[in-house]
Amino acid sequence: MTRKKKATVPVDPEYLRKQKASMLRSNRQVLYFNDSELDAVNAYCRKFRIRSKSSLLREIVMERIISELEDNHPTLF
């Protein structure tokens, strides 16, 4: 028994371009560590074979921010 392929709807290239442009990271933030903090980050990256520290730190910071915002959302009453 053969199955019919579902017809795929082509995605508008302009939509994809706008979506990609909106995800572009163009704002810089600088983060300073003392020696022991940097050693801890480097040890963590070595242990778990993480090559991109920027993506690691971005992910950690954004997880914390989003969880705080969800926990402290405004209530009506």
Side-chain angles (χ1 to χ4, degrees):
M1 186 162 145
T2 61
R3 292 185 181 194
K4 291 183 180 179
K5 278 190 171 181
K6 290 184 179 181
T8 58
V9 179
V11 179
D12 182 21
E14 183 65 20
Y15 170 78
L16 292 176
R17 187 189 65 74
K18 286 181 181 179
Q19 187 178 22
K20 186 175 181 179
S22 71
M23 296 300 292
L24 181 66
R25 294 181 181 101
S26 59
N27 300 301
R28 174 183 282 258
Q29 292 291 309
V30 178
L31 183 64
Y32 290 99
F33 292 111
N34 64 29
D35 292 338
S36 61
E37 291 169 338
L38 184 60
D39 290 341
V41 170
N42 289 334
Y44 183 88
C45 289
R46 274 193 309 274
K47 181 177 181 178
F48 294 103
R49 296 185 179 122
I50 296 171
R51 286 189 246 160
S52 177
K53 291 179 191 171
S54 62
S55 64
L56 170 73
L57 296 172
R58 184 183 314 111
E59 184 178 320
I60 292 170
V61 168
M62 292 310 299
E63 281 180 9
R64 176 68 184 259
I65 289 172
I66 290 170
S67 70
E68 288 287 327
L69 287 175
E70 287 175 351
D71 292 344
N72 298 318
H73 67 278
T75 57
L76 186 56
F77 298 103

